[in-house]
Amino acid sequence: MEIKVQKKLASGQVRFESDFGTCEGIWNDDEPESNRKYTVEIEIPEDLTAARLAESDEKHCILETTEDALVHIVGQLEDYEEDGFAVLRLEDSIICFNTQYDEQIEALHGKFIEFEVERIHLSKVGI
């Protein structure tokens, strides 16, 4: 996913903008430069449960920080494996995450889903 770092925050976090909104995440690489674009991989460091995932009324992708400092994510559940591995599509980008396998999540396959997490991690990809 392509992002533009707006500024560095405390504790290794950055505020960034993408095609899906403005968000904050933990930067896992060398210090990023403000106002610079990066191609990153987004990691969700926690396993999600069916209770935290819901079909979304939104039919477009969202990646934004909420007023409660959580990360709100909306995308299309593209793939879901029996080991609980999930692939969420945000247009040309994907975010992979792990779950405790649940048939309720399997039933969301192909649909827009939404959830909130405490944090995401960002790692540069490419050159």
Side-chain angles (χ1 to χ4, degrees):
M1 174 179 299
E2 186 169 289
I3 67 164
K4 181 178 180 184
V5 172
Q6 291 179 330
K7 68 178 186 177
K8 295 176 257 184
L9 306 170
S11 307
Q13 286 198 305
V14 294
R15 179 172 294 129
F16 65 92
E17 57 189 49
S18 72
D19 290 342
F20 315 114
T22 301
C23 195
E24 294 176 6
I26 297 171
W27 191 261
N28 284 343
D29 290 303
D30 298 336
E31 286 277 318
E33 295 177 33
S34 295
N35 297 313
R36 180 170 172 206
K37 290 185 177 182
Y38 293 92
T39 301
V40 298
E41 177 179 302
I42 295 178
E43 176 191 348
I44 297 173
E46 59 190 286
D47 287 359
L48 301 177
T49 61
R52 295 185 55 195
L53 304 175
E55 187 171 353
S56 179
D57 291 334
E58 301 288 345
K59 300 303 178 210
H60 60 92
C61 302
I62 297 172
L63 180 62
E64 63 188 6
T65 303
T66 67
E67 291 178 8
D68 299 329
L70 297 173
V71 178
H72 179 225
I73 302 172
V74 177
Q76 191 169 17
L77 185 59
E78 182 169 284
D79 194 21
Y80 191 60
E81 303 292 331
E82 289 182 4
D83 63 359
F85 182 78
V87 177
L88 188 72
R89 177 155 297 280
L90 283 80
E91 295 180 9
D92 292 339
S93 301
I94 60 170
I95 298 175
C96 300
F97 60 95
N98 290 306
T99 71
Q100 298 169 3
Y101 181 81
D102 193 304
E103 290 180 2
Q104 289 177 316
I105 300 173
E106 177 65 40
L108 296 170
H109 187 262
K111 298 179 180 176
F112 277 86
I113 63 169
E114 65 182 313
F115 55 92
E116 292 180 347
V117 292
E118 288 186 23
R119 64 188 165 277
I120 57 173
H121 291 233
L122 307 169
S123 300
K124 290 189 301 187
V125 295
I127 299 174

